[in-house]
Amino acid sequence: MSISDHALKNDFPEFAANILELRKSDDDFRKLSDDYDSLDKKIRGLEVRDVPTDDQHFNEMKLERARLKDTLYKRLTRY
């Protein structure tokens, strides 16, 4: 199985400058992006180590990551 790194800078390279600027100037954006990065690392860690986790928990984590990404994307496009 291929494990994708869904870091914001990888998924939205066209917004790299905005990501850096918002992380410096917007505490809420920084917290959301930190939460997103942390959750993405947890998900990738489980995938890489093939750690047993129930499907519901794993799917909930992925849904939360998608929700955070959508929120961050909206903030990036409005910046």
Side-chain angles (χ1 to χ4, degrees):
M1 165 178 22
S2 173
I3 309 300
S4 298
D5 181 350
H6 290 281
L8 290 177
K9 64 183 172 113
N10 294 341
D11 285 353
F12 305 125
E14 67 276 21
F15 293 113
N18 292 10
I19 292 168
L20 290 174
E21 184 57 37
L22 282 167
R23 285 192 53 78
K24 290 179 191 174
S25 64
D26 185 328
D27 291 338
D28 188 47
F29 182 89
R30 183 175 50 252
K31 166 124 177 44
L32 287 171
S33 64
D34 286 346
D35 291 347
Y36 174 84
D37 289 341
S38 176
L39 185 56
D40 183 51
K41 287 178 185 173
K42 287 179 188 175
I43 290 168
R44 282 187 290 122
L46 291 172
E47 290 173 336
V48 167
R49 291 189 306 274
D50 202 23
V51 173
T53 182
D54 65 63
D55 287 336
Q56 181 178 351
H57 176 69
F58 193 63
N59 287 331
E60 286 171 0
M61 290 172 65
K62 286 185 167 187
L63 287 172
E64 177 63 10
R65 179 177 63 185
R67 186 192 66 75
L68 284 167
K69 183 184 273 187
D70 287 345
T71 300
L72 290 163
Y73 179 77
K74 288 174 188 171
R75 300 277 297 270
L76 286 167
T77 58
R78 286 193 310 243
Y79 182 71

